[in-house]
Amino acid sequence: LKGSSFNVEQLSGAQTTNSAFALHQVSVGSRLDISLGGRVDAVENVDVFPTWRATAAYRLFESDTKFRASAGTGAKAPSLYQ
């Protein structure tokens, strides 16, 4: 930083992440929709992070209402310098 007493060090590096995902959606009758999905992230020299998500939506046409629910997991790989 110009004009300050802080010593700033420049860092550089690279990291590769390979990922794959899949999603399947299905309607069960006219009222219920279900989806299932998954993802795998493989971070070079770190770890493999599998995650998933499941959702459901149920329609009540009589009152124009939709109930929704979801569950899943998440992961965060460390940054390049952690």
Side-chain angles (χ1 to χ4, degrees):
L1 297 172
K2 190 174 184 177
S4 73
S5 60
F6 292 107
N7 185 11
V8 177
E9 181 182 341
Q10 293 290 332
L11 300 174
S12 65
Q15 187 176 55
T16 300
T17 301
N18 294 306
S19 302
F21 71 93
L23 175 65
H24 182 69
Q25 297 176 313
V26 63
S27 293
V28 181
S30 63
R31 294 180 180 259
L32 180 62
D33 295 321
I34 297 173
S35 72
L36 301 170
R39 177 181 171 119
V40 177
D41 294 299
V43 182
E44 180 182 32
N45 299 322
V46 177
D47 205 352
V48 175
F49 301 96
T51 56
W52 61 269
R53 182 175 178 184
T55 67
Y58 185 80
R59 288 183 213 68
L60 293 176
F61 296 112
E62 302 81 9
S63 61
D64 197 27
T65 302
K66 184 185 288 187
F67 293 100
R68 299 173 189 242
S70 66
T73 60
K76 181 187 178 301
S79 72
L80 186 59
Y81 301 107
Q82 285 181 317

Coordinates of all heavy atoms in Angstrom, one line a residue:
L1 N 0.8 -1.2 0.0 CA 0.0 0.0 0.0 C 0.9 1.2 0.0 O 1.7 1.4 0.9 CB -0.9 0.0 1.2 CG -1.9 -1.1 1.3 CD1 -2.6 -1.1 2.7 CD2 -2.9 -1.1 0.2
K2 N 0.7 2.1 -1.0 CA 1.5 3.2 -1.1 C 1.3 4.2 0.0 O 0.2 4.5 0.4 CB 1.2 3.9 -2.5 CG 2.2 5.0 -2.8 CD 1.9 5.5 -4.2 CE 2.9 6.5 -4.6 NZ 2.7 7.0 -6.0
G3 N 2.4 4.7 0.6 CA 2.3 5.6 1.7 C 2.0 5.1 3.0 O 1.8 5.8 4.0
S4 N 2.0 3.7 3.2 CA 1.7 3.1 4.5 C 2.9 2.3 4.9 O 3.8 2.1 4.2 CB 0.4 2.2 4.4 OG 0.8 1.1 3.7
S5 N 2.8 1.9 6.2 CA 3.9 1.1 6.7 C 3.7 -0.4 6.6 O 4.4 -1.2 7.2 CB 4.2 1.5 8.2 OG 3.0 1.3 8.9
F6 N 2.6 -0.8 5.9 CA 2.3 -2.2 5.8 C 3.2 -2.9 4.7 O 3.5 -2.3 3.7 CB 0.9 -2.4 5.3 CG -0.1 -2.1 6.4 CD1 -0.9 -0.9 6.2 CD2 -0.3 -2.9 7.5 CE1 -1.8 -0.6 7.2 CE2 -1.3 -2.5 8.4 CZ -2.0 -1.4 8.3
N7 N 3.7 -4.1 5.0 CA 4.5 -4.8 4.1 C 3.6 -5.8 3.3 O 3.1 -6.7 3.9 CB 5.6 -5.6 4.8 CG 6.6 -6.3 3.9 OD1 6.5 -6.0 2.7 ND2 7.4 -7.1 4.4
V8 N 3.4 -5.6 2.0 CA 2.5 -6.4 1.3 C 3.3 -7.4 0.4 O 4.2 -7.0 -0.3 CB 1.6 -5.5 0.3 CG1 0.7 -6.4 -0.5 CG2 0.8 -4.6 1.2
E9 N 3.0 -8.7 0.6 CA 3.7 -9.7 -0.2 C 2.7 -10.2 -1.3 O 1.6 -10.6 -1.0 CB 4.0 -10.9 0.7 CG 4.8 -12.0 0.1 CD 5.1 -13.1 1.1 OE1 5.1 -12.9 2.3 OE2 5.4 -14.2 0.6
Q10 N 3.2 -10.3 -2.5 CA 2.4 -10.8 -3.6 C 2.5 -12.4 -3.6 O 3.5 -12.9 -3.5 CB 2.9 -10.3 -5.0 CG 2.7 -8.8 -5.1 CD 1.3 -8.5 -5.3 OE1 0.5 -9.2 -5.8 NE2 0.9 -7.3 -4.9
L11 N 1.3 -13.0 -3.7 CA 1.2 -14.4 -3.7 C 0.6 -14.9 -5.1 O -0.2 -14.2 -5.6 CB 0.3 -15.0 -2.6 CG 0.8 -14.7 -1.2 CD1 -0.3 -15.1 -0.2 CD2 2.1 -15.3 -0.9
S12 N 1.0 -16.0 -5.6 CA 0.4 -16.5 -6.8 C 0.3 -18.0 -6.7 O 1.1 -18.7 -6.0 CB 1.2 -16.1 -8.0 OG 2.5 -16.7 -8.0
G13 N -0.6 -18.6 -7.4 CA -0.8 -20.1 -7.3 C -2.0 -20.5 -8.2 O -2.7 -19.6 -8.7
A14 N -2.2 -21.8 -8.3 CA -3.3 -22.3 -9.0 C -3.8 -23.5 -8.4 O -3.1 -24.2 -7.7 CB -2.9 -22.6 -10.5
Q15 N -5.1 -23.8 -8.6 CA -5.7 -25.0 -8.0 C -6.8 -25.4 -9.0 O -7.5 -24.6 -9.5 CB -6.4 -24.6 -6.6 CG -6.9 -25.8 -5.9 CD -7.4 -25.3 -4.5 OE1 -8.3 -24.4 -4.4 NE2 -6.9 -25.9 -3.5
T16 N -6.9 -26.7 -9.2 CA -7.8 -27.3 -10.1 C -9.0 -28.0 -9.3 O -8.7 -28.8 -8.4 CB -7.2 -28.3 -11.0 OG1 -6.1 -27.6 -11.8 CG2 -8.1 -28.9 -12.0
T17 N -10.2 -27.8 -9.7 CA -11.4 -28.5 -9.2 C -12.1 -29.1 -10.3 O -12.5 -28.5 -11.3 CB -12.3 -27.5 -8.5 OG1 -11.6 -26.8 -7.4 CG2 -13.5 -28.2 -7.9
N18 N -12.3 -30.4 -10.2 CA -13.1 -31.2 -11.2 C -14.5 -31.5 -10.5 O -14.5 -31.9 -9.4 CB -12.4 -32.5 -11.6 CG -11.2 -32.2 -12.4 OD1 -11.2 -31.5 -13.4 ND2 -10.1 -32.7 -11.9
S19 N -15.6 -31.3 -11.3 CA -16.9 -31.4 -10.7 C -17.8 -32.2 -11.7 O -17.6 -32.2 -12.9 CB -17.5 -30.1 -10.4 OG -16.8 -29.3 -9.6
A20 N -18.8 -32.9 -11.1 CA -19.8 -33.6 -11.8 C -21.1 -33.5 -11.1 O -21.1 -33.4 -9.8 CB -19.4 -35.1 -12.0
F21 N -22.2 -33.4 -11.8 CA -23.5 -33.3 -11.1 C -24.6 -34.1 -11.9 O -24.4 -34.3 -13.1 CB -23.9 -31.8 -10.9 CG -24.4 -31.2 -12.2 CD1 -25.7 -31.1 -12.5 CD2 -23.4 -30.5 -13.0 CE1 -26.1 -30.5 -13.7 CE2 -23.8 -29.9 -14.1 CZ -25.1 -29.9 -14.5
A22 N -25.6 -34.4 -11.2 CA -26.8 -35.1 -11.8 C -28.0 -34.6 -11.1 O -28.0 -34.2 -9.9 CB -26.7 -36.6 -11.7
L23 N -29.1 -34.5 -11.9 CA -30.4 -34.0 -11.4 C -31.5 -34.8 -12.0 O -31.5 -35.0 -13.2 CB -30.6 -32.5 -11.7 CG -32.0 -32.0 -11.3 CD1 -32.2 -32.0 -9.8 CD2 -32.1 -30.5 -11.8
H24 N -32.4 -35.3 -11.2 CA -33.6 -36.1 -11.7 C -34.8 -35.5 -11.1 O -35.0 -35.3 -9.9 CB -33.5 -37.6 -11.3 CG -34.6 -38.4 -11.9 ND1 -34.7 -38.6 -13.2 CD2 -35.6 -39.0 -11.3 CE1 -35.8 -39.4 -13.4 NE2 -36.4 -39.6 -12.3
Q25 N -35.8 -35.1 -12.0 CA -37.0 -34.5 -11.6 C -38.2 -35.4 -12.1 O -38.1 -35.9 -13.2 CB -37.2 -33.1 -12.2 CG -36.2 -32.2 -11.7 CD -36.3 -30.8 -12.3 OE1 -36.5 -30.7 -13.5 NE2 -36.3 -29.8 -11.5
V26 N -39.2 -35.6 -11.3 CA -40.3 -36.5 -11.6 C -41.6 -35.9 -11.0 O -41.6 -35.3 -9.9 CB -40.1 -37.9 -11.2 CG1 -40.0 -38.1 -9.7 CG2 -41.1 -38.9 -11.7
S27 N -42.7 -36.0 -11.8 CA -44.0 -35.6 -11.3 C -44.7 -36.9 -10.9 O -44.7 -37.9 -11.7 CB -44.8 -34.9 -12.4 OG -44.2 -33.6 -12.6
V28 N -45.3 -36.9 -9.7 CA -46.1 -38.0 -9.3 C -47.6 -37.5 -9.3 O -48.0 -36.8 -8.4 CB -45.7 -38.5 -7.9 CG1 -46.5 -39.7 -7.4 CG2 -44.2 -38.8 -7.9
G29 N -48.3 -37.9 -10.3 CA -49.6 -37.4 -10.5 C -49.6 -35.9 -10.9 O -48.5 -35.4 -11.4
S30 N -50.6 -35.2 -10.7 CA -50.7 -33.8 -11.1 C -50.4 -32.8 -9.9 O -50.2 -31.7 -10.1 CB -52.1 -33.5 -11.6 OG -53.1 -33.6 -10.6
R31 N -50.2 -33.4 -8.7 CA -50.0 -32.5 -7.6 C -48.6 -32.5 -7.0 O -48.2 -31.6 -6.3 CB -51.0 -32.9 -6.5 CG -52.4 -32.7 -6.8 CD -53.3 -33.1 -5.6 NE -54.7 -32.9 -5.9 CZ -55.4 -31.9 -5.5 NH1 -54.9 -31.0 -4.7 NH2 -56.7 -31.7 -5.8
L32 N -47.8 -33.6 -7.2 CA -46.6 -33.7 -6.5 C -45.4 -33.7 -7.5 O -45.4 -34.5 -8.5 CB -46.6 -35.0 -5.7 CG -45.3 -35.4 -4.9 CD1 -45.0 -34.3 -3.8 CD2 -45.4 -36.7 -4.2
D33 N -44.4 -32.9 -7.2 CA -43.1 -32.9 -8.0 C -42.0 -33.2 -7.0 O -41.9 -32.6 -5.9 CB -42.9 -31.5 -8.6 CG -43.9 -31.2 -9.7 OD1 -44.3 -32.1 -10.4 OD2 -44.3 -30.0 -9.7
I34 N -41.1 -34.1 -7.5 CA -40.0 -34.5 -6.6 C -38.7 -34.3 -7.5 O -38.7 -34.6 -8.7 CB -40.1 -35.9 -6.2 CG1 -41.3 -36.1 -5.3 CG2 -38.9 -36.4 -5.4 CD1 -41.6 -37.5 -4.9
S35 N -37.6 -33.8 -6.8 CA -36.3 -33.8 -7.5 C -35.2 -34.3 -6.6 O -35.3 -34.1 -5.3 CB -36.0 -32.4 -8.0 OG -35.7 -31.5 -6.9
L36 N -34.3 -35.0 -7.2 CA -33.1 -35.5 -6.4 C -31.9 -35.1 -7.2 O -31.8 -35.3 -8.4 CB -33.2 -37.0 -6.3 CG -34.4 -37.6 -5.6 CD1 -34.5 -39.1 -5.8 CD2 -34.4 -37.2 -4.1
G37 N -30.9 -34.5 -6.5 CA -29.7 -34.1 -7.2 C -28.5 -34.4 -6.4 O -28.5 -34.5 -5.2
G38 N -27.4 -34.5 -7.1 CA -26.1 -34.7 -6.4 C -25.0 -34.1 -7.1 O -25.1 -33.8 -8.3
R39 N -23.9 -33.8 -6.4 CA -22.7 -33.2 -7.0 C -21.5 -33.7 -6.3 O -21.5 -33.9 -5.1 CB -22.8 -31.7 -6.9 CG -21.6 -30.9 -7.4 CD -21.8 -29.4 -7.2 NE -20.6 -28.7 -7.5 CZ -20.5 -27.8 -8.4 NH1 -21.5 -27.5 -9.1 NH2 -19.4 -27.2 -8.6
V40 N -20.4 -33.9 -7.1 CA -19.1 -34.2 -6.5 C -18.1 -33.3 -7.0 O -18.0 -33.0 -8.2 CB -18.7 -35.7 -6.9 CG1 -17.4 -36.0 -6.3 CG2 -19.8 -36.7 -6.4
D41 N -17.4 -32.7 -6.0 CA -16.3 -31.8 -6.4 C -15.0 -32.4 -5.9 O -14.9 -32.8 -4.7 CB -16.4 -30.4 -5.7 CG -17.6 -29.6 -6.2 OD1 -17.6 -29.3 -7.4 OD2 -18.5 -29.4 -5.4
A42 N -14.0 -32.5 -6.7 CA -12.7 -33.1 -6.4 C -11.7 -31.9 -6.5 O -11.4 -31.5 -7.6 CB -12.3 -34.2 -7.3
V43 N -11.2 -31.5 -5.4 CA -10.2 -30.3 -5.4 C -8.8 -30.9 -5.3 O -8.5 -31.7 -4.4 CB -10.5 -29.4 -4.2 CG1 -9.5 -28.2 -4.2 CG2 -11.9 -28.9 -4.2
E44 N -8.0 -30.5 -6.3 CA -6.6 -31.0 -6.4 C -5.9 -30.9 -5.1 O -5.8 -29.8 -4.5 CB -5.9 -30.3 -7.5 CG -4.5 -30.7 -7.8 CD -3.9 -29.9 -8.9 OE1 -4.2 -28.7 -9.0 OE2 -3.0 -30.4 -9.6
N45 N -5.3 -31.9 -4.6 CA -4.5 -32.0 -3.4 C -5.2 -31.6 -2.2 O -4.6 -31.2 -1.2 CB -3.2 -31.1 -3.6 CG -2.3 -31.5 -4.7 OD1 -2.2 -32.7 -5.0 ND2 -1.8 -30.5 -5.4
V46 N -6.6 -31.7 -2.2 CA -7.3 -31.3 -1.0 C -8.2 -32.5 -0.6 O -7.9 -33.2 0.3 CB -8.1 -30.0 -1.2 CG1 -9.0 -29.7 0.1 CG2 -7.2 -28.8 -1.5
D47 N -9.4 -32.6 -1.2 CA -10.3 -33.6 -0.8 C -11.4 -33.8 -1.9 O -11.4 -33.0 -2.9 CB -11.0 -33.3 0.5 CG -11.5 -34.5 1.3 OD1 -11.5 -35.6 0.7 OD2 -11.9 -34.3 2.4
V48 N -12.3 -34.7 -1.7 CA -13.5 -34.9 -2.6 C -14.7 -34.5 -1.7 O -14.8 -35.0 -0.6 CB -13.6 -36.3 -3.1 CG1 -14.8 -36.5 -3.9 CG2 -12.3 -36.6 -4.0
F49 N -15.6 -33.7 -2.3 CA -16.7 -33.2 -1.5 C -18.0 -33.6 -2.2 O -18.4 -33.0 -3.2 CB -16.7 -31.7 -1.4 CG -15.5 -31.1 -0.7 CD1 -14.4 -30.7 -1.4 CD2 -15.4 -31.1 0.7 CE1 -13.3 -30.2 -0.8 CE2 -14.3 -30.6 1.3 CZ -13.2 -30.2 0.6
P50 N -18.7 -34.7 -1.8 CA -20.0 -35.1 -2.3 C -21.1 -34.3 -1.6 O -21.1 -34.2 -0.4 CB -20.1 -36.6 -2.1 CG -19.2 -36.8 -0.9 CD -18.2 -35.8 -0.9
T51 N -22.0 -33.8 -2.3 CA -23.2 -33.1 -1.8 C -24.5 -33.6 -2.5 O -24.4 -34.1 -3.6 CB -23.1 -31.6 -1.9 OG1 -22.9 -31.2 -3.2 CG2 -21.9 -31.1 -1.0
W52 N -25.6 -33.4 -1.8 CA -26.9 -33.8 -2.4 C -28.0 -32.9 -2.0 O -27.9 -32.1 -1.1 CB -27.3 -35.3 -2.0 CG -27.4 -35.4 -0.5 CD1 -26.4 -35.8 0.4 CD2 -28.6 -35.2 0.3 NE1 -26.9 -35.8 1.7 CE2 -28.3 -35.5 1.6 CE3 -29.9 -34.8 -0.1 CZ2 -29.2 -35.4 2.6 CZ3 -30.8 -34.7 1.0 CH2 -30.5 -35.0 2.3
R53 N -29.1 -33.0 -2.7 CA -30.3 -32.2 -2.4 C -31.5 -32.9 -2.9 O -31.5 -33.6 -3.9 CB -30.3 -30.8 -3.1 CG -31.4 -30.0 -2.7 CD -31.3 -28.6 -3.3 NE -32.5 -27.8 -3.0 CZ -32.8 -26.6 -3.4 NH1 -31.9 -26.0 -4.2 NH2 -33.9 -26.0 -3.1
A54 N -32.6 -32.9 -2.1 CA -33.9 -33.5 -2.4 C -34.9 -32.4 -2.2 O -34.9 -31.7 -1.2 CB -34.1 -34.7 -1.5
T55 N -35.9 -32.3 -3.1 CA -37.0 -31.4 -3.0 C -38.3 -32.0 -3.3 O -38.4 -33.0 -4.0 CB -36.8 -30.1 -3.9 OG1 -36.9 -30.6 -5.2 CG2 -35.4 -29.5 -3.7
A56 N -39.3 -31.4 -2.8 CA -40.7 -31.8 -3.1 C -41.6 -30.6 -3.1 O -41.4 -29.7 -2.3 CB -41.2 -32.9 -2.0
A57 N -42.6 -30.6 -4.0 CA -43.6 -29.6 -4.0 C -44.9 -30.2 -4.2 O -45.1 -31.1 -5.1 CB -43.3 -28.6 -5.2
Y58 N -45.9 -29.8 -3.4 CA -47.2 -30.4 -3.4 C -48.2 -29.3 -3.7 O -48.2 -28.3 -2.9 CB -47.6 -31.1 -2.1 CG -48.9 -31.8 -2.2 CD1 -49.0 -33.1 -2.8 CD2 -50.0 -31.2 -1.6 CE1 -50.2 -33.7 -2.8 CE2 -51.2 -31.9 -1.6 CZ -51.3 -33.1 -2.3 OH -52.6 -33.7 -2.3
R59 N -49.0 -29.4 -4.7 CA -50.0 -28.4 -5.1 C -51.4 -28.7 -4.6 O -51.9 -29.8 -4.7 CB -50.1 -28.3 -6.6 CG -48.9 -27.7 -7.3 CD -49.2 -27.6 -8.8 NE -48.0 -27.7 -9.6 CZ -47.3 -28.8 -9.8 NH1 -47.6 -29.9 -9.2 NH2 -46.3 -28.9 -10.6
L60 N -52.0 -27.6 -4.0 CA -53.5 -27.7 -3.7 C -54.1 -26.7 -4.7 O -54.1 -25.5 -4.5 CB -53.7 -27.2 -2.3 CG -53.2 -28.1 -1.2 CD1 -53.5 -27.5 0.2 CD2 -53.9 -29.5 -1.3
F61 N -54.7 -27.3 -5.8 CA -55.3 -26.5 -6.8 C -56.5 -25.7 -6.3 O -56.8 -24.6 -6.8 CB -55.7 -27.3 -8.0 CG -54.5 -28.0 -8.7 CD1 -54.4 -29.3 -8.7 CD2 -53.6 -27.2 -9.4 CE1 -53.3 -29.9 -9.3 CE2 -52.5 -27.8 -10.1 CZ -52.4 -29.2 -10.0
E62 N -57.2 -26.3 -5.4 CA -58.4 -25.7 -4.8 C -58.2 -24.3 -4.2 O -59.0 -23.4 -4.3 CB -59.1 -26.6 -3.8 CG -59.5 -27.9 -4.3 CD -58.3 -28.9 -4.3 OE1 -57.2 -28.6 -3.8 OE2 -58.5 -30.0 -4.9
S63 N -57.0 -24.1 -3.6 CA -56.7 -22.8 -3.0 C -55.5 -22.1 -3.6 O -55.0 -21.2 -3.0 CB -56.5 -23.0 -1.5 OG -55.4 -23.9 -1.3
D64 N -55.1 -22.6 -4.7 CA -53.9 -22.1 -5.4 C -52.7 -22.0 -4.5 O -52.0 -20.9 -4.4 CB -54.2 -20.7 -6.0 CG -53.2 -20.3 -7.1 OD1 -52.6 -21.2 -7.7 OD2 -53.1 -19.1 -7.3
T65 N -52.4 -23.1 -3.8 CA -51.4 -23.1 -2.8 C -50.3 -24.2 -3.2 O -50.7 -25.2 -3.7 CB -51.9 -23.5 -1.4 OG1 -52.9 -22.5 -1.0 CG2 -50.8 -23.6 -0.3
K66 N -49.1 -23.9 -2.9 CA -48.0 -24.9 -3.1 C -47.2 -25.0 -1.9 O -46.6 -24.0 -1.4 CB -47.1 -24.5 -4.3 CG -46.1 -25.6 -4.7 CD -45.1 -25.1 -5.7 CE -45.8 -25.1 -7.1 NZ -44.8 -24.8 -8.2
F67 N -47.0 -26.2 -1.4 CA -46.2 -26.5 -0.2 C -44.8 -27.0 -0.8 O -44.8 -27.9 -1.7 CB -46.8 -27.6 0.7 CG -48.0 -27.2 1.4 CD1 -49.3 -27.5 0.9 CD2 -48.0 -26.4 2.5 CE1 -50.4 -27.1 1.5 CE2 -49.1 -25.9 3.1 CZ -50.3 -26.3 2.7
R68 N -43.7 -26.5 -0.2 CA -42.4 -26.9 -0.7 C -41.6 -27.3 0.5 O -41.7 -26.8 1.6 CB -41.7 -25.7 -1.4 CG -42.4 -25.2 -2.6 CD -41.7 -23.9 -3.1 NE -42.5 -23.2 -4.1 CZ -42.1 -23.0 -5.3 NH1 -40.9 -23.4 -5.7 NH2 -42.8 -22.4 -6.2
A69 N -40.7 -28.3 0.2 CA -39.8 -28.8 1.2 C -38.5 -29.1 0.5 O -38.5 -29.5 -0.7 CB -40.3 -30.0 1.9
S70 N -37.4 -29.0 1.2 CA -36.1 -29.4 0.7 C -35.1 -29.8 1.8 O -35.3 -29.3 2.9 CB -35.5 -28.3 -0.2 OG -35.1 -27.2 0.6
A71 N -34.2 -30.6 1.5 CA -33.2 -31.0 2.4 C -31.9 -31.3 1.6 O -32.0 -31.6 0.4 CB -33.6 -32.3 3.1
G72 N -30.8 -31.1 2.2 CA -29.5 -31.3 1.4 C -28.3 -31.0 2.3 O -28.4 -30.7 3.5
T73 N -27.2 -31.2 1.6 CA -25.9 -30.9 2.3 C -25.1 -29.9 1.5 O -25.5 -29.6 0.4 CB -25.1 -32.2 2.4 OG1 -24.8 -32.7 1.0 CG2 -25.8 -33.3 3.1
G74 N -24.1 -29.4 2.1 CA -23.2 -28.5 1.4 C -21.8 -28.6 1.9 O -21.5 -29.2 2.9
A75 N -20.8 -28.1 1.1 CA -19.4 -28.2 1.5 C -18.7 -27.0 0.9 O -19.1 -26.5 -0.1 CB -18.8 -29.5 0.9
K76 N -17.7 -26.6 1.6 CA -16.8 -25.5 1.1 C -15.4 -26.0 1.2 O -14.9 -26.3 2.3 CB -17.0 -24.2 1.9 CG -16.2 -23.1 1.4 CD -16.2 -21.9 2.3 CE -15.4 -20.8 1.8 NZ -14.0 -21.1 1.7
A77 N -14.7 -26.0 0.1 CA -13.3 -26.4 0.0 C -12.5 -25.2 0.6 O -12.9 -24.0 0.4 CB -12.9 -26.7 -1.4
P78 N -11.4 -25.5 1.2 CA -10.5 -24.3 1.7 C -10.0 -23.5 0.5 O -9.9 -24.1 -0.6 CB -9.4 -25.0 2.4 CG -9.5 -26.5 2.1 CD -10.8 -26.7 1.5
S79 N -9.8 -22.3 0.7 CA -9.3 -21.4 -0.4 C -7.8 -21.9 -0.7 O -7.2 -22.6 0.1 CB -9.3 -19.9 0.0 OG -8.3 -19.7 1.0
L80 N -7.3 -21.3 -1.7 CA -6.0 -21.7 -2.2 C -4.9 -21.5 -1.1 O -3.9 -22.3 -1.0 CB -5.6 -20.9 -3.4 CG -4.3 -21.3 -4.1 CD1 -4.3 -22.8 -4.5 CD2 -4.1 -20.4 -5.3
Y81 N -5.0 -20.5 -0.2 CA -4.0 -20.2 0.7 C -4.4 -20.6 2.2 O -3.7 -20.2 3.1 CB -3.7 -18.7 0.6 CG -3.2 -18.4 -0.7 CD1 -4.0 -17.6 -1.6 CD2 -1.9 -18.8 -1.2 CE1 -3.5 -17.4 -2.9 CE2 -1.5 -18.5 -2.5 CZ -2.3 -17.8 -3.3 OH -1.9 -17.5 -4.6
Q82 N -5.4 -21.4 2.4 CA -5.8 -21.8 3.7 C -5.0 -23.1 4.0 O -4.8 -23.9 3.2 CB -7.3 -22.0 3.8 CG -8.0 -20.8 3.9 CD -9.5 -21.0 4.1 OE1 -10.1 -21.8 3.4 NE2 -10.1 -20.2 4.9

